[in-house]
Amino acid sequence: MRLDKLVAHAAQRSRSDARAAIRRGVVCVDGAVCRAPDEQVDRNATVSLEGKPLCTSPYVYLMLDKPKGVVSASTDQNEVTVVSLVRGDYPRRSLFPAGRLDKTSTGFVLITDDGAFAHSILAPKRHVPKTYEVLLDTPLTAEMIEGFAAGVRLADGSVMRPAGLAPGAGGPCSARVVLQQGVYHQIKRMFGVYGAGVNELRRTAIGGLVLDETLGPGGFRPLSPEEVARVAARCEDTP
Ligand code: URA
């Protein structure tokens, strides 16, 4: 693809803006400044604009730090949605969240317009690991850790897949949970079996990709091609 077309597409700028940026010397291809708008760029090249890597894929992949009170949806009549937080930068894209977080939960939401990619993360057979930092209303116990490892039976009788549970860094009530499935309110319901309430829940990683804590609540950035590939690599079928 031509460099000016690629920059315009990836940075959501007009073709003339992209050309001006290229001529200013703020666009690099594989680490070297390129001032030729008509340069043909390989689809696997790393392209950056003003030092920030651009996603050269035809699709958009964003890492968002969801704040509390925002719903994991594309649109909603009454609520602020995760997609509305990024819409200004991507006005013409059919974006949606690849996976949900409760309205009261915070942290990593992956937003994309690549349906096949989202499916590979969300398909129950894929078991893509997701990491959560949790603050309970009671101290973590060995019984909870053993129960999570064995597979918790929820109040409705369904048995969850084994999940990782370990003490967190924030004192006796803090915990780190690693899930490989996504059942509605899963973590809250799993702790509920032990009479524990969840006061705070924050997703910090998806498929080996760790949330960039410098983004801050409501902050977002495109994933680099390497980051997209890292998540995709975790999306292979497992028994
Ligand atoms: N489990 C929950 O209970 N809530 C979330 O938002 C995510 C996992």
Side-chain angles (χ1 to χ4, degrees):
M1 193 192 276
R2 275 177 63 117
L3 183 58
D4 55 354
K5 189 173 173 196
L6 187 152
V7 171
H9 178 85
Q12 294 270 302
R13 297 194 178 189
S14 67
R15 194 73 90 84
S16 56
D17 272 3
R19 268 188 221 116
I22 294 164
R23 293 204 177 98
R24 271 206 320 279
V26 293
V27 173
C28 291
V29 178
D30 289 333
V33 171
C34 181
R35 292 177 189 268
D38 62 351
E39 178 87 5
Q40 288 293 325
V41 182
D42 187 88
R43 65 196 301 273
N44 295 319
T46 303
V47 180
S48 66
L49 171 64
E50 291 161 349
K52 291 191 198 129
L54 290 178
C55 185
T56 53
S57 154
Y59 296 110
V60 170
Y61 306 92
L62 302 173
M63 170 188 285
L64 168 77
D65 186 343
K66 185 184 101 60
K68 254 187 200 167
V70 172
V71 296
S72 297
S74 300
T75 56
D76 193 284
Q77 295 273 325
N78 307 308
E79 311 274 5
V80 178
T81 69
V82 288
V83 170
S84 73
L85 298 180
V86 309
R87 176 57 73 207
D89 283 12
Y90 300 91
R92 289 178 296 276
R93 296 298 197 130
S94 303
L95 297 169
F96 57 89
R100 308 176 74 81
L101 274 181
D102 295 344
K103 186 174 170 184
T104 53
S105 301
T106 65
F108 194 167
V109 175
L110 214 156
I111 295 177
T112 186
D113 53 359
D114 181 347
F117 178 80
H119 174 76
S120 67
I121 292 180
L122 301 175
K125 271 172 65 187
R126 300 299 171 101
H127 310 313
V128 175
K130 301 185 185 78
T131 305
Y132 301 82
E133 301 296 335
V134 178
L135 197 59
L136 301 173
D137 62 3
T138 180
L140 185 69
T141 65
E143 187 196 4
M144 294 175 194
I145 295 173
E146 285 157 19
F148 272 48
V152 173
R153 181 182 293 276
L154 299 183
D156 66 2
S158 54
V159 179
M160 299 295 98
R161 284 178 64 83
L165 175 60
C173 297
S174 83
R176 171 170 294 180
V177 179
V178 180
L179 294 185
Q180 294 194 357
Q181 67 186 136
V183 171
Y184 182 65
H185 285 172
Q186 185 171 346
I187 292 179
K188 290 173 186 156
R189 291 162 75 194
M190 286 168 78
F191 279 113
V193 169
Y194 300 91
V198 172
N199 287 340
E200 304 280 340
L201 198 159
R202 180 168 179 75
R203 183 155 66 204
T204 55
I206 300 175
L209 204 63
V210 176
L211 177 66
D212 183 346
E213 291 288 350
T214 65
L215 292 172
F220 62 94
R221 68 162 174 81
L223 297 183
S224 69
E226 293 71 29
E227 288 174 324
V228 175
R230 205 183 314 156
V231 180
R234 300 297 292 265
C235 296
E236 285 146 17
D237 285 355
T238 51

